[in-house]
Amino acid sequence: MAKEYPQTEEGLQKLLVHLAAARQAGDDAAVGKALLKLAYLVKWVRSDNHEPPFERSHTLALEALEVYRRIDDPAGQVSALIAAAPFELGPEQTGQLDEAELLAAGLADDLLSARVLAARARHLGLVDRDRAKVVALQALELFRSVGNASGQIGIMFSLAILPGERSEKRAFATEGGRLCRDEGDFERGSKLLYLAGMNSEPSELGDLEPLNLEILKLAQDAGDRFAERDLYKNLAEISEAKADVEAAARYIRWHAELEESDGLTPLERWEHNVAMTKMLIAMGKRSGSQETVKMFEEDLAQLKKQRPKRGS
């Protein structure tokens, strides 16, 4: 479904049409699946109603949970419970993940159990990063045992930002990038290679260029402009590290051109960026990282000065 409904305005609109059709047909299984996909898309494209993106995502996941409970689909319930648990891991969210873990265990489904562990690792990352890494490694072992590449890719994100030596985090991000290349997952591949670059010394960035170029070619062939845009940014940074000013300028120009053609109006794009920045500030406060809070509060103040006029 990720390829059918890409992380773009067009993908969002197409999914909304599909969801409406599933509701009209009374196909609850399709409705649940579409609601979960929409719960993901609204976080990264825009909310489809008046709610802020991450609040809307939570609402949609709870709606999907009701659907899956109605049709007695425990696997669907696990997916919905994972999606419904917001970033802050309080008693309610812990209970949701506990319920998901019990359902997965009852199904004797290692893949579902791995997904619950991965969700726990993400939430623990805000309160106990060392424990989060232990849980993430457990999840990775399960994903590998069942041969699930998508799960491995997701957990690589966590391991690339959790505690560890830069070389270790770089290795996880690069391994995840290779899996993305093999799976044709250009969007997550571009982001993992960005994390690999963040954990690289300037002299090491050139080692990432071939993999970035391979994924770029695949993204271009598939017409995935979203991933293509992010890969241009990665390649611009690599070119800068190599002191290839001409190539860096070319990649930056291509990145900017694609960013302006994402289907959002300037005001919609601004609103999305404000919502995302506020979410990052809240995460920083919960994790006790004053440096992160200060950085994103400065970004938010700058964004507020740049608000486009309504109708633009």
Side-chain angles (χ1 to χ4, degrees):
M1 190 174 273
K3 293 180 181 178
E4 188 176 359
Y5 303 104
Q7 195 172 305
T8 62
E9 179 66 18
E10 182 182 0
L12 177 66
Q13 292 298 329
K14 186 178 178 182
L15 179 58
L16 288 171
V17 170
H18 170 72
L19 174 59
R23 290 189 194 278
Q24 186 173 7
D27 187 344
D28 282 342
V31 168
K33 189 174 181 181
L35 285 169
L36 288 183
K37 178 58 183 175
L38 186 59
Y40 175 80
L41 275 191
V42 296
K43 290 188 290 186
W44 309 114
V45 180
R46 66 172 178 83
S47 177
D48 65 316
N49 71 4
H50 62 280
E51 291 181 278
F54 280 77
E55 290 180 19
R56 177 59 174 158
S57 177
H58 180 64
T59 300
L60 288 164
L62 290 178
E63 185 179 348
L65 180 59
E66 290 180 8
V67 171
Y68 284 125
R69 281 179 171 157
R70 185 167 65 245
I71 63 176
D72 192 23
D73 181 344
Q77 291 175 53
V78 172
S79 294
L81 286 163
I82 289 171
F87 282 107
E88 187 172 2
L89 192 60
E92 178 187 353
Q93 291 73 40
T94 301
Q96 287 171 334
L97 293 179
D98 287 345
E99 183 182 350
E101 185 174 11
L102 284 173
L103 285 167
L107 292 169
D109 190 321
D110 284 345
L111 176 56
L112 285 178
S113 294
R115 291 181 57 213
V116 177
L117 284 172
R120 284 197 188 280
R122 289 193 296 272
H123 292 283
L124 283 168
L126 295 175
V127 292
D128 187 343
R129 289 167 59 78
D130 290 327
R131 176 61 183 160
K133 183 177 181 180
V134 172
V135 176
L137 288 170
Q138 292 172 346
L140 180 59
E141 183 177 352
L142 268 182
F143 280 128
R144 282 177 168 159
S145 72
V146 297
N148 185 269
S150 181
Q152 292 176 60
I153 290 167
I155 210 69
M156 296 296 178
F157 273 103
S158 297
L159 291 168
I161 60 176
L162 287 169
E165 297 294 329
R166 288 184 64 178
S167 58
E168 179 187 26
K169 293 193 282 188
R170 180 176 187 267
F172 280 127
T174 305
E175 180 184 351
R178 292 195 184 100
L179 281 172
C180 287
R181 175 197 59 196
D182 297 342
E183 292 295 306
D185 191 340
F186 322 120
E187 178 201 331
R188 290 198 292 177
S190 65
K191 290 175 171 57
L192 273 163
L193 290 179
Y194 173 74
L195 290 175
M198 284 181 60
N199 287 291
S200 299
E201 299 295 335
S203 60
E204 298 173 323
L205 278 173
D207 297 338
L208 299 173
E209 186 173 27
L211 187 53
N212 271 278
L213 288 170
E214 286 178 37
I215 296 179
L216 173 62
K217 177 64 166 57
L218 294 170
Q220 289 172 330
D221 290 345
D224 189 335
R225 300 302 180 225
F226 193 91
E228 183 181 354
R229 183 197 67 179
D230 288 350
L231 287 158
Y232 285 146
K233 184 177 181 180
N234 293 351
L235 288 162
E237 293 179 358
I238 291 170
S239 297
E240 287 176 6
K242 293 169 61 179
D244 189 341
V245 178
E246 183 178 342
R250 184 169 64 249
Y251 286 130
I252 289 171
R253 184 177 72 252
W254 291 342
H255 173 271
E257 288 173 354
L258 286 178
E259 191 167 56
E260 290 300 315
S261 64
D262 59 8
L264 298 181
T265 66
L267 182 57
E268 286 172 339
R269 190 180 301 112
W270 179 86
E271 289 172 340
H272 173 74
N273 290 338
V274 166
M276 288 292 296
T277 305
K278 287 181 177 178
M279 181 273 294
L280 291 167
I281 291 170
M283 288 175 61
K285 288 180 178 177
R286 289 194 291 268
S287 65
S289 175
Q290 294 306 312
E291 182 180 352
T292 298
V293 171
K294 182 180 178 182
M295 178 178 68
F296 287 115
E297 283 181 340
E298 290 173 355
D299 287 349
L300 182 60
Q302 190 64 30
L303 268 174
K304 288 182 175 180
K305 295 177 183 177
Q306 300 169 350
R307 188 184 192 279
K309 294 181 180 178
R310 187 163 296 280
S312 63

